[in-house]
């Protein structure tokens, strides 16, 4: 099937993947695109990327994603839509002296992956000890006990909410229509039963309105299984806690320009945001699930997710004491949980839904917590799927995991296993 430029396309979710796809399709000349979004604003507060900033790096143990991330970084550097939101401050990838052998090994693999790739020639700085790290990040006042790793200067961070706002604006200019809030929250997909399967013909929103579409693309992040229940065996909604420290403008200025830093056995943090002077910091861990009847789903309201577990607070303070001890005991503000759609091996799922006919229903999902950096290119992959009529890349196909495989308990690039929120005490601060 080929999709004519004037046929109606429905995109469910105005987060990272949905906005990128709407923008790409509109840029290719599609004139009948509607995006449905459950929040009453874009950037959506339900998006995993509703945040001050996200790391833009191309370290991957799997070279396939290194290449995709390099394509994306070139766009972050040069595309006028994305470039204003990118800060190429470098990516400092380190472990502390207390890191487990598993985490140390992961760091070595990341280092080896970029060291062996000529795209990074001239960008890598070995940082074998605290003295070397202080040289590349003189803003760090802490002792950095046992810290070791490397700096990759072909990396940095993007102001993620600002970037989503910009892409939203560009979509509107290209004629993409948006329905937000109850008018945009999809209650159910609509199907027509045919011989050989069922055809998706659009969606009904919470306010009862029906949107007819030739092709419907579900880009609902951690909420995808609410819209496409058949995907549940492949996806688990997982979240991490995000916290901030409010600095004064002069404190913020003093810390300006340090590389975005991942301390693999504790967490990651960014230079203070230039507009708000907030320093964002996240405990990395293995993430948290919210299990309900054997399926992990995000909280349905924003208010439920406005906290982080006590463990996050403990680890955040531990990290700050090592790197920026003068602010280690400051209040942690704007705490919230941030959701992603995890697959068993961190591969995305960009495919048509089996059992639906005429390529009428596709999913863009399985971001697995590493999807924001791909925003400038993910729409290209969605457009390829629509034009080719099938997913040629095996790794991004819809998968039918065997029941006996169970859910993975530990993804290699994460420091610890995933645990359920129900077993985590909440912070009282
Ligand atoms: C703490 C944390 C840190 C992260 N750090 C990084 C990083 O440093 N670098 C990086 O590359 N990535 C990072 N990510 C991952 C990144 O945020 C995600 O990969 C990315 O946002 C996934 O995009 P998405 O479009 O699939 O989902 P989202 O961006 O979450 O968007 C999904 C959208 O669908 C909407 N929606 C859901 N259900 C419905 C419905 N029924 N009807 C209508 N709309 C609906 C939601 O409101 C939302 O707007 C991080 C994620 C977290 C949680």
């Amino acid at each position: 099937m080929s999709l004519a430029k004037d046929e109606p396309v429905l995109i469910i979710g105005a987060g990272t993947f949905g906005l990128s796809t709407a923008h790409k399709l509109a840029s290719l000349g599609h004139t009948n695109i509607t995006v449905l979004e459950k929040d009453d604003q874009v950037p959506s507060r339900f998006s995993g990327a509703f945040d001050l900033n996200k790391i833009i790096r191309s370290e991957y143990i799997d070279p396939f994603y290194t290449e995709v991330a390099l394509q994306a970084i070139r766009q972050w550097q040069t595309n006028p839509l994305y470039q204003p939101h990118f800060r190429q401050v470098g990516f400092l990838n380190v472990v502390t002296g207390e890191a487990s052998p598993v985490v140390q090994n992961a760091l070595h693999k990341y280092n080896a992956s970029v060291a062996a790739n000529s795209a990074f020639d001239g960008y890598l700085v070995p940082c074998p000890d605290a003295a070397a790290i202080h040289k590349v990040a003189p803003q760090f006042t802490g002792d950095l006990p046992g810290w070791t790793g490397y700096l990759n200067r072909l990396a940095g961070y993007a102001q993620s909410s600002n970037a989503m706002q910009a892409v939203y604006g560009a979509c509107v200019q290209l004629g993409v229509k948006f329905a937000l809030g109850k008018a945009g929250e999809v209650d159910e997909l609509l199907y027509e039963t045919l011989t050989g399967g069922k055809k998706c013909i659009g969606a009904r929103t919470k306010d009862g309105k029906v949107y007819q579409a030739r092709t419907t693309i579900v880009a609902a992040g951690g909420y995808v299984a609410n819209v496409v229940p058949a995907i549940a065996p492949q996806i688990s909604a997982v979240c991490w806690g995000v916290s901030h420290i409010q600095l004064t403008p002069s404190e913020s200025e003093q810390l300006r320009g340090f590389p975005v830093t991942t301390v693999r056995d504790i967490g990651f943090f960014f230079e203070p945001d230039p507009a708000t002077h907030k320093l964002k910091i996240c405990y990395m861990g293995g993430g948290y699930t919210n299990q309900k009847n054997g399926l992990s789903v995000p909280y349905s309201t924003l208010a439920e997710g406005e906290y982080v577990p006590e463990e996050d607070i403990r680890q955040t303070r531990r990290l700050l004491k090592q790197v920026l001890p003068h602010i280690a005991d400051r209040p942690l503000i704007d705490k919230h949980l941030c959701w992603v759609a995890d697959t068993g091996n961190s591969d995305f799922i960009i495919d048509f839904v089996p059992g639906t006919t005429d390529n009428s229903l596709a999913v863009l999902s399985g971001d697995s917590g590493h999807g924001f950096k791909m925003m400038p290119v993910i729409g290209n992959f969605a457009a390829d799927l629509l034009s080719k009529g099938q997913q040629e890349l095996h790794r991004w196909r819809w998968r039918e995991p065997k029941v006996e495989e169970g859910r993975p308990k530990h993804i290699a690039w994460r420091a610890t296993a995933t645990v359920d929120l129900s077993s985590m005490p909440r912070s009282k601060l």
Side-chain angles (χ1 to χ4, degrees), residues 108-178:
H108 290 311
K109 285 186 177 165
Y110 283 118
N111 198 350
S113 78
V114 282
N117 187 329
S118 62
F120 300 97
D121 286 355
Y123 288 103
L124 302 179
V125 183
C127 294
D129 52 27
I133 296 169
H134 276 130
K135 267 197 192 131
V136 298
Q139 300 88 340
F140 293 171
T141 49
D143 294 341
L144 318 178
W147 284 31
T148 180
Y150 67 94
L151 172 69
N152 177 0
R153 292 195 193 276
L154 185 54
Y157 70 88
Q159 294 173 310
S160 49
S161 285
N162 291 357
M164 289 200 293
Q165 176 81 54
V167 178
Y168 170 55
C171 286
V172 171
Q173 279 202 335
L174 288 167
V176 176
K177 299 178 278 294
F178 284 80

Side-chain angles (χ1 to χ4, degrees), residues 12-18 36-39 44-49 51 53-56 60 164 184-187 219-224 226-227 238-242 268 270 280 282 338-340 364-374:
I12 298 171
T16 307
F17 287 8
L36 303 178
E37 166 54 52
K38 71 187 247 170
D39 201 356
S44 162
R45 291 162 293 179
F46 293 97
S47 162
D51 226 338
N53 37 40
K54 296 287 181 197
I55 303 171
I56 306 297
Y60 275 97
M164 289 200 293
E185 180 169 1
V186 168
D187 206 16
Y223 302 81
V224 62
N226 292 346
V227 184
V238 176
C239 67
W240 283 265
V242 178
F268 55 95
F270 301 71
K280 179 183 135 183
C282 302
C338 165
W339 294 92
V340 308
L364 295 185
S365 185
D367 71 282
S368 302
H370 65 106
F372 181 76
K373 70 179 74 61
M374 311 299 191

